[in-house]
Protein backbone atom coordinates (compact mmCIF):
# COMPACT_ATOMS: atom_id res chain seq x y z
CA UNK A 1 0.00 0.00 0.00
CA UNK A 2 2.91 2.40 0.66
CA UNK A 3 2.75 5.63 2.64
CA UNK A 4 -0.62 7.37 2.52
CA UNK A 5 -0.57 10.75 0.72
CA UNK A 6 -1.48 13.81 2.74
CA UNK A 7 -2.37 17.47 2.28
CA UNK A 8 0.02 19.03 4.75
CA UNK A 9 -0.81 22.74 4.90
CA UNK A 10 -3.98 24.75 5.18
CA UNK A 11 -5.11 26.49 2.01
CA UNK A 12 -4.86 30.17 2.80
CA UNK A 13 -7.88 32.26 1.83
CA UNK A 14 -7.40 34.42 -1.27
CA UNK A 15 -8.89 37.91 -1.59
CA UNK A 16 -8.66 39.60 -4.99
CA UNK A 17 -10.52 42.26 -6.91
CA UNK A 18 -12.66 41.65 -9.95
CA UNK A 19 -10.56 41.21 -13.09
CA UNK A 20 -7.42 40.14 -11.23
CA UNK A 21 -5.85 36.64 -11.04
CA UNK A 22 -6.58 34.30 -8.13
CA UNK A 23 -4.13 31.76 -6.68
CA UNK A 24 -4.96 28.80 -4.38
CA UNK A 25 -2.10 26.61 -3.09
CA UNK A 26 -2.36 22.97 -2.11
CA UNK A 27 0.77 21.23 -0.67
CA UNK A 28 0.92 17.43 -0.60
CA UNK A 29 3.38 14.68 0.30
CA UNK A 30 3.63 11.03 -0.70
CA UNK A 31 1.53 11.50 -3.81
CA UNK A 32 2.01 8.36 -5.92
CA UNK A 33 0.68 9.04 -9.44
CA UNK A 34 -0.09 5.37 -10.00
CA UNK A 35 -2.56 5.18 -7.14
CA UNK A 36 -3.55 8.79 -6.32
CA UNK A 37 -4.70 11.87 -8.24
CA UNK A 38 -4.83 15.43 -6.90
CA UNK A 39 -8.02 17.20 -7.90
CA UNK A 40 -9.38 20.72 -7.63
CA UNK A 41 -13.17 20.98 -7.48
CA UNK A 42 -15.59 23.84 -6.84
CA UNK A 43 -18.98 23.64 -5.20
CA UNK A 44 -21.07 25.77 -7.58
CA UNK A 45 -24.42 25.24 -5.85
CA UNK A 46 -25.26 24.11 -2.30
CA UNK A 47 -26.78 20.78 -3.44
CA UNK A 48 -25.45 20.36 -6.98
CA UNK A 49 -22.61 18.25 -8.32
CA UNK A 50 -19.20 19.90 -7.71
CA UNK A 51 -17.37 21.22 -10.79
CA UNK A 52 -14.24 19.18 -11.49
CA UNK A 53 -11.61 21.69 -12.57
CA UNK A 54 -8.41 19.62 -12.74
CA UNK A 55 -6.75 16.23 -12.20
CA UNK A 56 -3.09 16.70 -11.34
CA UNK A 57 -2.10 19.22 -14.06
CA UNK A 58 -4.84 18.37 -16.54
CA UNK A 59 -7.67 20.92 -16.87
CA UNK A 60 -11.22 19.66 -17.44
CA UNK A 61 -12.89 23.05 -17.98
CA UNK A 62 -12.56 24.56 -21.44
CA UNK A 63 -13.31 28.19 -20.52
CA UNK A 64 -11.11 30.69 -22.35
CA UNK A 65 -10.47 34.34 -21.40
CA UNK A 66 -8.76 36.66 -23.91
CA UNK A 67 -7.25 33.73 -25.74
CA UNK A 68 -5.96 32.00 -22.61
CA UNK A 69 -7.45 29.18 -20.51
CA UNK A 70 -9.52 30.39 -17.59
CA UNK A 71 -7.90 27.79 -15.29
CA UNK A 72 -4.52 26.14 -15.15
CA UNK A 73 -2.49 24.27 -12.52
CA UNK A 74 1.13 25.12 -11.80
CA UNK A 75 3.12 22.29 -10.19
CA UNK A 76 6.35 22.80 -8.26
CA UNK A 77 8.43 20.61 -5.92
CA UNK A 78 10.03 21.90 -2.72
CA UNK A 79 12.00 19.31 -0.75
CA UNK A 80 9.61 16.38 -0.33
CA UNK A 81 6.48 18.47 -0.96
CA UNK A 82 4.59 19.01 -4.16
CA UNK A 83 2.70 22.25 -4.62
CA UNK A 84 -0.34 22.25 -6.91
CA UNK A 85 -1.32 25.87 -7.45
CA UNK A 86 -4.70 26.54 -9.03
CA UNK A 87 -4.62 29.74 -11.11
CA UNK A 88 -7.89 31.46 -12.09
CA UNK A 89 -7.72 34.30 -14.60
CA UNK A 90 -10.00 37.34 -15.01
CA UNK A 91 -11.92 36.88 -11.76
CA UNK A 92 -15.64 37.58 -11.72
CA UNK A 93 -18.26 37.45 -9.00
CA UNK A 94 -19.09 33.88 -10.08
CA UNK A 95 -15.55 32.74 -9.31
CA UNK A 96 -15.94 33.52 -5.63
CA UNK A 97 -16.62 30.63 -3.29
CA UNK A 98 -15.18 27.42 -1.86
CA UNK A 99 -12.59 25.35 -3.71
CA UNK A 100 -11.61 21.89 -2.50
CA UNK A 101 -8.22 20.31 -2.99
CA UNK A 102 -8.61 16.53 -2.60
CA UNK A 103 -6.57 13.42 -3.28
CA UNK A 104 -8.55 10.73 -5.09
CA UNK A 105 -7.42 7.31 -3.87
CA UNK A 106 -8.23 4.24 -5.93
CA UNK A 107 -10.15 1.47 -4.18
CA UNK A 108 -11.02 3.75 -1.24
CA UNK A 109 -14.28 5.35 -0.23
CA UNK A 110 -14.77 9.00 -1.22
CA UNK A 111 -15.28 9.97 2.39
CA UNK A 112 -11.77 8.74 3.19
CA UNK A 113 -10.01 10.87 0.57
CA UNK A 114 -7.77 13.61 2.02
CA UNK A 115 -9.43 17.02 1.50
CA UNK A 116 -8.88 20.65 2.40
CA UNK A 117 -11.01 23.67 1.68
CA UNK A 118 -9.84 27.00 0.25
CA UNK A 119 -11.92 30.18 0.09
CA UNK A 120 -11.69 32.69 -2.75
CA UNK A 121 -13.24 36.13 -2.23
CA UNK A 122 -13.70 38.38 -5.25
CA UNK A 123 -14.06 42.03 -4.33
CA UNK A 124 -16.26 44.13 -6.60
CA UNK A 125 -16.31 47.92 -6.82
CA UNK A 126 -19.62 49.46 -5.76
CA UNK A 127 -22.48 50.44 -8.02
CA UNK A 128 -25.29 52.76 -6.97
CA UNK A 129 -28.99 52.31 -7.47
CA UNK A 130 -30.86 55.48 -6.57
CA UNK A 131 -34.45 55.14 -5.43
CA UNK A 132 -34.97 58.92 -5.64
CA UNK A 133 -35.35 61.02 -8.78
CA UNK A 134 -32.28 62.84 -10.01
CA UNK A 135 -34.14 66.18 -9.93
CA UNK A 136 -36.65 67.03 -7.20
CA UNK A 137 -38.75 70.18 -6.94
CA UNK A 138 -40.07 70.87 -3.45
CA UNK A 139 -41.76 73.83 -1.77
CA UNK A 140 -40.15 75.65 1.14
CA UNK A 141 -41.23 74.20 4.49
CA UNK A 142 -41.72 70.66 3.15
CA UNK A 143 -39.95 67.42 4.12
CA UNK A 144 -38.31 64.95 1.71
CA UNK A 145 -36.67 61.53 1.97
CA UNK A 146 -33.72 60.59 -0.23
CA UNK A 147 -32.98 56.88 -0.71
CA UNK A 148 -29.90 55.26 -2.17
CA UNK A 149 -28.91 51.59 -2.51
CA UNK A 150 -25.52 50.18 -3.45
CA UNK A 151 -24.15 46.80 -4.52
CA UNK A 152 -20.59 45.56 -4.21
CA UNK A 153 -18.32 43.09 -2.39
CA UNK A 154 -17.73 43.75 0.43
CA UNK A 155 -20.99 45.58 1.16
CA UNK A 156 -20.39 49.30 0.52
CA UNK A 157 -20.85 52.04 3.08
CA UNK A 158 -23.22 54.79 1.91
CA UNK A 159 -22.83 58.46 2.79
CA UNK A 160 -24.59 61.63 1.69
CA UNK A 161 -22.93 65.02 1.29
CA UNK A 162 -23.53 68.29 -0.52
CA UNK A 163 -22.01 68.80 -3.94
CA UNK A 164 -20.88 72.34 -3.05
CA UNK A 165 -19.04 71.21 0.09
CA UNK A 166 -21.27 73.21 2.45
CA UNK A 167 -22.76 71.71 5.65
CA UNK A 168 -25.89 69.56 5.35
CA UNK A 169 -29.25 71.04 6.41
CA UNK A 170 -29.20 69.17 9.72
CA UNK A 171 -25.58 70.11 10.45
CA UNK A 172 -22.31 68.32 9.76
CA UNK A 173 -20.83 67.46 6.39
CA UNK A 174 -21.82 63.76 6.05
CA UNK A 175 -24.88 61.63 6.67
CA UNK A 176 -24.35 57.88 7.00
CA UNK A 177 -26.85 55.42 5.56
CA UNK A 178 -28.90 54.92 2.44
CA UNK A 179 -31.94 56.82 3.76
CA UNK A 180 -31.58 60.56 4.30
CA UNK A 181 -34.52 62.59 5.59
CA UNK A 182 -34.50 66.40 5.30
CA UNK A 183 -37.05 68.35 7.32
CA UNK A 184 -38.44 71.86 6.97
CA UNK A 185 -36.65 72.66 3.73
CA UNK A 186 -35.75 76.28 3.04
CA UNK A 187 -33.98 78.19 0.30
CA UNK A 188 -30.54 77.30 1.73
CA UNK A 189 -31.30 73.59 1.18
CA UNK A 190 -31.36 73.94 -2.60
CA UNK A 191 -28.46 72.45 -4.53
CA UNK A 192 -26.81 69.14 -5.36
CA UNK A 193 -26.70 66.19 -2.94
CA UNK A 194 -24.38 63.23 -3.56
CA UNK A 195 -24.94 59.61 -2.56
CA UNK A 196 -21.46 58.02 -2.31
CA UNK A 197 -20.89 54.25 -2.00
CA UNK A 198 -17.43 53.05 -0.96
CA UNK A 199 -16.09 49.62 0.03
CA UNK A 200 -12.35 50.37 -0.42
CA UNK A 201 -12.46 48.83 -3.90
CA UNK A 202 -11.73 51.57 -6.36
CA UNK A 203 -13.43 53.45 -7.77
CA UNK A 204 -16.20 54.46 -5.36
CA UNK A 205 -19.59 55.13 -6.96
CA UNK A 206 -21.75 58.20 -6.59
CA UNK A 207 -25.07 59.55 -7.79
CA UNK A 208 -26.26 63.16 -7.73
CA UNK A 209 -29.70 64.47 -6.77
CA UNK A 210 -30.53 68.08 -7.59
CA UNK A 211 -32.99 69.64 -5.16
CA UNK A 212 -34.84 72.70 -6.42
CA UNK A 213 -36.77 74.69 -3.82
CA UNK A 214 -39.63 77.06 -4.60
CA UNK A 215 -39.60 79.89 -2.06
CA UNK A 216 -40.60 83.48 -1.37
CA UNK A 217 -37.99 86.18 -2.06
CA UNK A 218 -34.98 86.92 0.13
CA UNK A 219 -33.49 90.41 -0.30
CA UNK A 220 -30.00 91.37 0.86
CA UNK A 221 -28.48 94.86 0.79
CA UNK A 222 -24.83 94.84 -0.23
CA UNK A 223 -24.39 98.06 1.82
CA UNK A 224 -27.39 99.20 3.81
CA UNK A 225 -25.96 102.69 4.45
CA UNK A 226 -24.52 104.73 1.60
CA UNK A 227 -23.15 108.26 1.87
CA UNK A 228 -22.64 111.03 -0.70
CA UNK A 229 -21.97 114.77 -0.82
CA UNK A 230 -24.83 116.89 -2.16
CA UNK A 231 -25.00 119.39 -5.02
CA UNK A 232 -21.67 118.31 -6.53
CA UNK A 233 -22.98 116.34 -9.52
CA UNK A 234 -22.03 113.01 -7.87
CA UNK A 235 -24.22 109.86 -7.87
CA UNK A 236 -24.99 107.21 -5.25
CA UNK A 237 -25.64 103.52 -5.94
CA UNK A 238 -27.69 101.03 -3.92
CA UNK A 239 -27.16 97.29 -4.60
CA UNK A 240 -29.69 94.58 -3.72
CA UNK A 241 -29.34 90.80 -4.25
CA UNK A 242 -32.70 89.03 -4.58
CA UNK A 243 -33.08 85.24 -4.30
CA UNK A 244 -36.44 83.79 -5.34
CA UNK A 245 -37.97 80.80 -7.09
CA UNK A 246 -39.95 81.45 -9.20
CA UNK A 247 -38.32 84.74 -10.19
CA UNK A 248 -39.60 87.77 -8.30
CA UNK A 249 -40.82 91.14 -9.49
CA UNK A 250 -38.56 93.83 -8.00
CA UNK A 251 -39.71 97.40 -7.23
CA UNK A 252 -37.69 100.20 -5.61
CA UNK A 253 -39.35 102.64 -3.18
CA UNK A 254 -38.32 105.82 -1.36
CA UNK A 255 -39.91 106.85 1.92
CA UNK A 256 -41.67 110.18 1.54
CA UNK A 257 -40.29 112.30 4.43
CA UNK A 258 -43.49 114.38 4.62
CA UNK A 259 -46.10 111.62 4.67
CA UNK A 260 -44.09 108.49 5.55
CA UNK A 261 -45.63 106.71 2.55
CA UNK A 262 -43.66 104.73 -0.03
CA UNK A 263 -43.15 106.40 -3.40
CA UNK A 264 -42.35 103.99 -6.23
CA UNK A 265 -39.19 104.84 -8.13
CA UNK A 266 -39.27 104.85 -11.94
CA UNK A 267 -36.37 104.65 -14.37
CA UNK A 268 -35.93 108.27 -15.52
CA UNK A 269 -33.50 111.18 -15.64
CA UNK A 270 -33.17 111.12 -11.85
CA UNK A 271 -33.00 107.36 -11.21
CA UNK A 272 -31.30 104.54 -13.10
CA UNK A 273 -32.76 101.05 -12.45
CA UNK A 274 -30.54 98.21 -13.56
CA UNK A 275 -30.06 94.43 -13.30
CA UNK A 276 -26.58 92.96 -13.71
CA UNK A 277 -25.12 89.44 -13.88
CA UNK A 278 -22.50 88.09 -11.52
CA UNK A 279 -20.87 84.65 -11.78
CA UNK A 280 -20.80 84.36 -7.99
CA UNK A 281 -24.60 84.27 -7.84
CA UNK A 282 -26.70 81.11 -7.85
CA UNK A 283 -29.16 80.42 -10.64
CA UNK A 284 -32.11 81.81 -8.66
CA UNK A 285 -30.25 84.94 -7.45
CA UNK A 286 -30.32 88.29 -9.27
CA UNK A 287 -28.41 91.53 -8.64
CA UNK A 288 -30.46 94.74 -8.83
CA UNK A 289 -29.12 98.28 -8.47
CA UNK A 290 -30.58 101.76 -8.07
CA UNK A 291 -28.44 104.75 -9.01
CA UNK A 292 -29.47 108.19 -7.70
CA UNK A 293 -28.01 110.72 -10.12
CA UNK A 294 -26.61 114.12 -9.04
CA UNK A 295 -27.42 113.68 -5.36
CA UNK A 296 -29.21 116.65 -3.80
CA UNK A 297 -30.42 117.39 -0.31
CA UNK A 298 -33.93 116.13 -1.06
CA UNK A 299 -32.54 112.69 -2.05
CA UNK A 300 -31.32 111.72 1.42
CA UNK A 301 -33.50 109.31 3.34
CA UNK A 302 -34.68 105.70 3.39
CA UNK A 303 -35.08 103.40 0.38
CA UNK A 304 -36.50 99.90 -0.05
CA UNK A 305 -35.74 97.07 -2.47
CA UNK A 306 -39.02 95.13 -2.59
CA UNK A 307 -39.41 91.70 -4.25
CA UNK A 308 -42.53 89.56 -4.64
CA UNK A 309 -43.57 86.24 -6.24
CA UNK A 310 -46.58 83.94 -5.76
CA UNK A 311 -45.10 82.48 -2.56
CA UNK A 312 -44.57 85.77 -0.75
CA UNK A 313 -42.44 88.90 -0.59
CA UNK A 314 -39.25 90.26 0.91
CA UNK A 315 -37.56 93.62 1.49
CA UNK A 316 -34.14 95.14 2.03
CA UNK A 317 -33.79 98.67 3.40
CA UNK A 318 -31.14 101.30 2.65
CA UNK A 319 -30.27 104.71 4.08
CA UNK A 320 -28.70 107.40 1.91
CA UNK A 321 -27.00 110.06 4.09
CA UNK A 322 -25.01 113.24 3.51
CA UNK A 323 -21.22 113.35 3.70
CA UNK A 324 -18.78 116.24 3.53
CA UNK A 325 -16.72 114.74 0.71
CA UNK A 326 -17.40 112.61 -2.37
CA UNK A 327 -17.87 108.87 -1.78
CA UNK A 328 -17.44 105.99 -4.22
CA UNK A 329 -15.19 104.92 -7.11
CA UNK A 330 -16.04 107.87 -9.38
CA UNK A 331 -14.74 110.58 -7.08
CA UNK A 332 -11.77 112.75 -8.21
CA UNK A 333 -8.44 111.81 -6.62
CA UNK A 334 -5.13 113.56 -5.96
CA UNK A 335 -3.27 111.00 -8.04
CA UNK A 336 -3.25 110.78 -11.83
CA UNK A 337 -4.54 113.84 -13.68
CA UNK A 338 -5.35 115.48 -10.37
CA UNK A 339 -1.65 115.52 -9.45
CA UNK A 340 -0.76 117.07 -12.82
CA UNK A 341 -3.38 119.78 -12.30
CA UNK A 342 -1.93 120.58 -8.86
CA UNK A 343 1.58 120.74 -10.34
CA UNK A 344 0.45 123.05 -13.16
CA UNK A 345 -1.42 125.30 -10.72
CA UNK A 346 1.66 125.69 -8.50
CA UNK A 347 3.84 126.44 -11.53
CA UNK A 348 1.36 129.04 -12.79
CA UNK A 349 1.21 130.65 -9.36
CA UNK A 350 5.04 130.80 -9.19
CA UNK A 351 5.34 132.38 -12.64
CA UNK A 352 2.70 134.92 -11.72
CA UNK A 353 4.70 136.00 -8.65
CA UNK A 354 7.92 136.28 -10.70
CA UNK A 355 6.16 138.34 -13.37
CA UNK A 356 4.66 140.64 -10.78
CA UNK A 357 8.05 141.19 -9.12
CA UNK A 358 9.65 142.01 -12.46
CA UNK A 359 7.01 144.59 -13.27
CA UNK A 360 7.26 146.11 -9.78
CA UNK A 361 11.03 146.40 -9.72
CA UNK A 362 11.50 146.88 -13.42
Amino acid sequence: MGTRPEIVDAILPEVKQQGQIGYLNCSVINLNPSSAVLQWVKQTTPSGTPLLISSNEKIHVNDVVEGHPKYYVRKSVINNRELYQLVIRALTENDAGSYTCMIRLSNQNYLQWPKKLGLLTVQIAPTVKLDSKSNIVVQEGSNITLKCEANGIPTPNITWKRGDGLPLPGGGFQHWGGVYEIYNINAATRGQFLCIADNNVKPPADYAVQIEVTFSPYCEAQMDTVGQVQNRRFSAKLDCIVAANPRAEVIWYKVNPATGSLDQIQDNDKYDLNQQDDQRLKADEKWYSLTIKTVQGSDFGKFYCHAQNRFGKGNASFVLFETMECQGPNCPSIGGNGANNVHISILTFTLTIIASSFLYYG
Side-chain angles (χ1 to χ4, degrees):
M1 293 289 297
T3 305
R4 179 181 172 85
E6 296 180 40
I7 301 173
V8 292
D9 294 323
I11 301 175
L12 298 179
E14 176 80 330
V15 179
K16 287 293 179 70
Q17 294 183 14
Q18 188 175 22
Q20 294 181 336
I21 301 176
Y23 303 93
L24 294 170
N25 297 321
C26 184
S27 297
V28 299
I29 58 173
N30 305 323
L31 186 65
N32 185 349
S34 62
S35 60
V37 176
L38 185 136
Q39 294 181 330
W40 280 103
V41 298
K42 182 177 187 294
Q43 189 70 41
T44 55
T45 61
S47 58
T49 303
L51 173 67
L52 176 61
I53 298 174
S54 65
S55 296
N56 291 339
E57 296 173 82
K58 181 181 178 180
I59 302 299
H60 299 287
V61 181
N62 295 323
D63 293 352
V64 176
V65 177
E66 297 179 354
H68 299 281
K70 171 79 174 178
Y71 305 95
Y72 71 95
V73 173
R74 180 186 296 150
K75 179 183 175 182
S76 58
V77 179
I78 303 175
N79 297 327
N80 65 331
R81 299 186 179 192
E82 294 178 282
L83 175 67
Y84 286 81
Q85 183 182 66
L86 175 63
V87 181
I88 309 169
R89 288 192 176 95
L91 291 174
T92 67
E93 184 176 0
N94 293 331
D95 295 319
S98 299
Y99 291 77
T100 302
C101 174
M102 62 184 183
I103 300 175
R104 189 184 68 191
L105 300 175
S106 57
N107 301 322
Q108 288 198 22
N109 186 285
Y110 167 80
L111 298 177
Q112 296 177 331
W113 295 354
K115 304 179 185 69
K116 286 205 175 175
L117 196 66
L119 183 64
L120 173 62
T121 300
V122 180
Q123 295 182 330
I124 299 176
T127 56
V128 170
K129 174 188 175 184
L130 198 75
D131 288 342
S132 301
K133 297 179 181 178
S134 59
N135 194 300
I136 300 175
V137 180
V138 61
Q139 186 175 343
E140 187 175 31
S142 302
N143 305 325
I144 62 170
T145 300
L146 303 180
K147 294 182 180 180
C148 181
E149 295 181 0
N151 297 317
I153 301 175
T155 301
N157 293 316
I158 297 177
T159 57
W160 289 90
K161 71 176 185 178
R162 290 191 65 116
D164 54 15
L166 295 175
L168 293 170
F173 291 88
Q174 281 189 327
H175 173 83
W176 294 87
V179 178
Y180 179 32
E181 296 180 334
I182 308 176
Y183 301 99
N184 195 24
I185 287 175
N186 57 33
T189 309
R190 67 196 190 279
Q192 186 184 72
F193 289 75
L194 297 176
C195 163
I196 301 173
D198 192 1
N199 62 356
N200 292 323
V201 182
K202 295 182 179 180
D206 61 71
Y207 196 94
V209 180
Q210 188 71 29
I211 296 180
E212 179 183 348
V213 181
T214 56
F215 58 96
S216 59
Y218 291 81
C219 301
E220 178 184 359
Q222 288 298 92
M223 292 182 61
D224 57 7
T225 55
V226 176
Q228 190 55 282
V229 64
Q230 65 169 307
N231 301 325
R232 295 281 297 277
R233 306 183 69 85
F234 299 133
S235 300
K237 186 179 179 184
L238 311 180
D239 291 303
C240 179
I241 294 179
V242 177
N245 186 23
R247 185 173 177 175
E249 178 187 8
V250 176
I251 301 174
W252 287 89
Y253 293 99
K254 183 178 187 300
V255 177
N256 189 313
T259 64
S261 61
L262 298 179
D263 296 337
Q264 183 174 344
I265 295 174
Q266 305 292 340
D267 192 85
N268 51 34
D269 293 338
K270 180 62 182 177
Y271 299 106
D272 183 17
L273 302 179
N274 189 30
Q275 179 194 328
Q276 60 195 56
D277 294 325
D278 193 298
Q279 294 181 349
R280 294 169 295 179
L281 300 179
K282 295 182 179 180
D284 50 23
E285 293 178 335
K286 303 296 178 184
W287 189 312
Y288 296 88
S289 61
L290 165 64
T291 301
I292 301 104
K293 306 173 186 176
T294 312
V295 173
Q296 300 173 357
S298 59
D299 294 325
F300 298 121
K302 195 165 187 178
F303 293 78
Y304 283 99
C305 166
H306 174 84
Q308 183 171 349
N309 65 10
R310 60 188 175 90
F311 291 104
K313 54 189 176 182
N315 294 286
S317 61
F318 301 80
V319 173
L320 177 62
F321 64 95
E322 182 181 3
T323 60
M324 299 303 295
E325 296 181 354
C326 176
Q327 306 294 316
N330 297 322
C331 296
S333 61
I334 297 178
N337 294 332
N340 292 335
N341 292 335
V342 172
H343 176 74
I344 292 172
S345 300
I346 293 174
L347 178 61
T348 303
F349 178 71
T350 303
L351 291 175
T352 302
I353 293 176
I354 294 174
S356 299
S357 299
F358 178 78
L359 291 172
Y360 180 79
Y361 291 105

